[in-house]
Amino acid sequence: MLTKTERAVEVTRRLEEKYPMASCSLDYGKDYELLISVRLAAQCTDARVNIVTQDLFKKYPTLESFARADLEELRTDVKSCGFYKVKGADIKNMCQILLAEHGGRVPDTMEELLKLPGVGRKTANIILGDIYGQPAVVADTHCIRISNRLGLAESPDPYKVELALREVLDPEKSNDFCHRLVLFGREVCQARKPRCSECPLFDVCE
């Protein structure tokens, strides 16, 4: 019987073999662009966000251009991502705050990131992990579902899953582990019909 830490080590190793290239599925070139993309990805697919931001980042090529944007026009630009009224407002406001309080740079601490409009722990962890290379656990829907199925966590609550994984994952590998869970969740461990007969983790899954 494997301990949670032993199981986490083995799951990490097998996912590394299956998905050697672990990276964020959102397209971005600048730190604030990832922040915007993650905000748009709430209740929306990454694929849809990447389609929208392809034109969005051309129309607003700088942080200043987002901060100066006409709010109703910006909302129209992101409408297909859903919840466009609040997302548009959050994007404009967060860009204004980045310029006014952070010198145009996305903060590198959880505390400061959580002060930005529309930014929760999931978004903050993505920024800390992908932009700043800090140990991060992104407790998105894939992470929560799969971690519970594997027996690495025992809660539907994102924060509790994050804390549980921080206890058993190698901090240097935690960020990539979460990226791999997204790929694994889409391909194998799906929400409604997990493909258990094809799963490389079958023998270490609770």
Side-chain angles (χ1 to χ4, degrees):
M1 185 74 174
L2 295 176
T3 66
K4 283 187 180 181
T5 300
E6 289 170 340
R7 185 181 295 118
V9 169
E10 184 60 20
V11 168
T12 299
R13 184 187 67 78
R14 295 188 195 184
L15 289 179
E16 286 174 343
E17 286 184 358
K18 185 169 179 61
Y19 306 105
M21 299 299 292
S23 61
C24 180
S25 54
L26 293 167
D27 298 333
Y28 67 97
K30 304 168 185 174
D31 56 1
Y32 70 85
E33 289 182 345
L34 179 57
L35 190 63
I36 290 170
S37 292
V38 177
R39 182 67 192 97
L40 291 175
Q43 306 298 313
C44 181
T45 65
D46 291 353
R48 164 54 57 185
V49 172
N50 286 337
I51 292 171
V52 170
T53 56
Q54 190 171 14
D55 292 328
L56 189 71
F57 294 153
K58 290 178 183 176
K59 182 173 181 177
Y60 305 98
T62 64
L63 191 59
E64 289 81 3
S65 58
F66 274 108
R68 294 193 308 262
D70 177 82
L71 180 54
E72 292 309 314
E73 188 173 350
L74 179 57
R75 283 170 166 166
T76 300
D77 293 330
V78 301
K79 188 171 185 177
S80 64
C81 291
F83 301 98
Y84 65 98
K85 290 187 177 180
V86 66
K87 289 181 180 180
D90 283 347
I91 290 169
K92 181 177 172 70
N93 290 336
M94 71 168 58
C95 290
Q96 291 176 336
I97 292 171
L98 292 179
L99 288 167
E101 300 180 15
H102 299 282
R105 180 175 174 270
V106 176
D108 61 359
T109 67
M110 177 68 72
E111 181 182 13
E112 290 301 315
L113 284 166
L114 292 177
K115 294 178 183 178
L116 297 173
V119 174
R121 291 191 67 87
K122 183 181 84 169
T123 300
N125 271 302
I126 291 175
I127 296 297
L128 294 175
D130 282 56
I131 300 296
Y132 294 109
Q134 298 181 23
V137 174
V138 180
D140 64 3
T141 55
H142 294 291
C143 178
I144 294 168
R145 177 178 75 254
I146 297 168
S147 296
N148 275 275
R149 284 177 175 173
L150 287 169
L152 299 178
E154 298 171 0
S155 174
D157 179 77
Y159 183 55
K160 290 182 179 178
V161 171
E162 178 188 335
L163 294 181
L165 290 178
R166 286 187 186 276
E167 289 184 4
V168 297
L169 292 176
D170 179 343
E172 296 300 314
K173 296 186 174 184
S174 61
N175 192 52
D176 286 345
F177 176 85
C178 294
H179 285 320
R180 291 185 171 102
L181 284 189
V182 172
L183 299 173
F184 182 64
R186 289 172 178 166
E187 182 183 355
V188 181
C189 197
Q190 298 163 350
R192 294 182 181 176
K193 291 186 178 181
R195 298 162 64 181
C196 297
S197 62
E198 303 170 35
C199 180
L201 307 179
F202 184 80
D203 60 314
V204 292
C205 178
E206 287 197 342

